[in-house]
Amino acid sequence: MTQLKNDVFLRALLRQPVPYTPVWMMRQAGRYLPEYNQTRAQAGSFMGLAQNPEYACEVTLQPLRRFALDAAILFSDILTVPDAMGLGLQFVAGEGPRFERPLRDESAIAALQPPDMDRLRYVFDAVSLIRRELDGDVPLIGFSGSPWTLACYMVEGQGSSDYRQIKTLLYQRPDLLHRILDINAQAVQAYLNAQIRAGAQAVMVFDSWGGVLADGLFQQFSLHYTRQVLNGLLREYEGQRIPVIVFTKGGGQWVQEIADVGCDAVGLDWTARLATARRVVEDRVALQGNLDPMTLFGGDAAIRAEVRRVLADFGAVGAGGHVFNLGHGISQFTPPEAVLSLVDEVHTASRAYHA
């Protein structure tokens, strides 16, 4: 494989000295870019895009052609795994993802099995193709949803505002929910390891809905299974360390416990203070985040001021590690020129913190 020309992102995750704070954005390949929308129209549908390695490669590379980002992230969807389990994933216009066969009864849950990874071959083919096309410019991040977050979609059947179905299951039949989570943990571990073997140089676990759980239940139904995933991950491949990021939206109060699952970095949303999180984890892990995505609607001066505030909040990097990111995915309505301001300010203003 080609030698990396820019490894600042990987070194920051491993808390090694870097000249500036690296930056990438969750959902950086997406609808805010006109070229993405053109490619999606060619593909005919979201799944047509995600399941075609050439299209997935093209949209992964699009933001890197516009912006000096320090990492690429595989274009895919967290719901590819439950789709491969036979739940019947559909993307309904204006409504988002929906499963035809959500897990609502004991027999369906009893029949659930980790998917054959061959059903996800299109993802691994995309990873290999993207690695080749990147030609060592920046590292490639692979990812999966967390066992809990996947379970939310699998039981609810779609996105939810109150998580009524899965929380009913949690309180009435925790044994059934634990079975789903155990199967999901096996699947996510195998899925991420396959991405690493295909060429992913770092991986991220998105626990997007961990923050909807009560304290105590988060540890039992989400964090326990994230730990289970990490316990079996390839942490070195072909002589290279493979850093692991865990991001829990709404999880700032559990940063110490998340750091203890064995990850290299904890992702934080914009409601958490980086300075407080850093004090709590004592630089045992790197931190990723955590600009409010809505900042990108504020205009150049506001974006640059907020970037400087986030950098100052983390402080002098020293023996720590900071990867700049948004606190959640970029909005589809974001003006692309706002991202230029963001990336430029991170790269310029952060150098003072690495002296």
Side-chain angles (χ1 to χ4, degrees):
M1 283 289 188
T2 313
Q3 186 74 26
L4 263 177
K5 298 161 196 163
N6 174 358
D7 65 352
V8 175
F9 166 73
L10 296 179
R11 285 193 285 142
L13 287 178
L14 298 172
R15 292 173 292 113
Q16 296 170 359
V18 290
Y20 61 86
T21 300
V23 56
W24 69 279
M25 299 179 303
M26 290 186 270
R27 223 182 281 144
Q28 68 188 22
R31 289 177 287 177
Y32 72 106
L33 292 177
E35 55 268 42
Y36 168 90
N37 294 314
Q38 288 165 9
T39 308
R40 179 168 170 161
Q42 287 171 3
S45 68
F46 179 84
M47 289 308 282
L49 194 61
Q51 293 180 338
N52 179 305
E54 286 75 24
Y55 283 142
C57 177
E58 167 59 21
V59 295
T60 297
L61 299 178
Q62 284 170 351
L64 301 169
R65 296 182 190 129
R66 278 184 181 252
F67 316 118
L69 297 158
D70 294 290
I73 183 164
L74 163 71
F75 177 80
S76 187
D77 192 271
I78 63 169
L79 301 183
T80 53
V81 172
D83 181 46
M85 292 178 180
L87 271 62
L89 179 63
Q90 296 179 324
F91 279 82
V92 182
E95 293 182 29
R98 184 184 291 265
F99 285 112
E100 288 177 50
R101 295 175 289 281
L103 299 174
R104 293 286 172 80
D105 60 66
E106 190 162 352
S107 60
I109 293 168
L112 191 69
Q113 294 295 333
D116 180 343
M117 286 297 135
D118 267 348
R119 295 194 66 182
L120 292 158
R121 175 65 43 204
Y122 64 90
V123 176
F124 315 133
D125 288 347
V127 170
S128 298
L129 180 58
I130 295 161
R131 263 300 291 276
R132 280 201 304 278
E133 292 296 316
L134 281 170
D135 194 31
D137 285 343
V138 293
L140 174 62
I141 307 165
F143 72 93
S144 174
S146 71
W148 162 258
T149 292
L150 296 183
C152 286
Y153 284 102
M154 292 160 74
V155 175
E156 295 288 337
Q158 58 190 45
S160 176
S161 58
D162 61 5
Y163 302 89
R164 179 169 53 87
Q165 300 288 351
I166 193 161
K167 288 191 174 184
T168 299
L169 188 66
L170 184 156
Y171 290 114
Q172 288 188 357
R173 291 296 304 274
D175 58 312
L176 296 182
L177 182 52
H178 280 300
R179 171 169 169 74
I180 297 170
L181 292 166
D182 184 58
I183 295 289
N184 285 356
Q186 295 175 48
V188 169
Q189 187 183 102
Y191 183 54
L192 289 175
N193 280 338
Q195 288 183 43
I196 291 165
R197 291 188 185 99
Q201 292 149 293
V203 293
M204 181 157 166
V205 177
F206 282 88
D207 189 25
S208 306
W209 306 127
V212 308
L213 285 165
D215 184 52
L217 297 178
F218 168 74
Q219 290 82 347
Q220 191 181 344
F221 290 93
S222 180
L223 199 60
H224 172 78
Y225 291 97
T226 297
R227 181 184 280 108
Q228 199 169 305
V229 169
L230 267 60
N231 283 345
L233 279 190
L234 291 165
R235 304 306 285 270
E236 191 170 304
Y237 189 67
E238 295 184 332
Q240 301 297 315
R241 281 281 306 277
I242 308 294
V244 180
I245 308 160
V246 174
F247 170 70
T248 299
K249 187 165 183 281
Q253 69 270 37
W254 300 307
V255 63
Q256 184 164 11
E257 292 163 277
I258 297 168
D260 288 341
V261 299
C263 55
D264 297 287
V266 176
L268 293 165
D269 69 23
W270 65 92
T271 64
R273 272 208 68 188
L274 285 178
T276 305
R278 187 178 181 188
R279 209 160 42 240
V280 166
V281 301
E282 299 176 313
D283 285 340
R284 287 178 293 117
V285 295
L287 297 176
Q288 179 176 280
N290 65 339
L291 188 77
D292 180 354
M294 294 301 112
T295 303
L296 295 175
F297 295 97
D300 181 75
I303 293 165
R304 291 177 184 274
E306 280 298 293
V307 165
R308 291 193 298 271
R309 184 191 61 75
V310 171
L311 292 168
D313 194 22
F314 188 88
V317 174
H322 182 208
V323 171
F324 200 100
N325 207 314
L326 304 178
H328 200 229
I330 188 169
S331 162
Q332 71 186 80
F333 305 107
T334 303
E337 59 271 20
V339 179
L340 282 171
S341 299
L342 165 72
V343 173
D344 178 64
E345 194 63 29
V346 173
H347 284 160
T348 304
S350 67
R351 290 182 181 271
Y353 294 97
H354 294 267

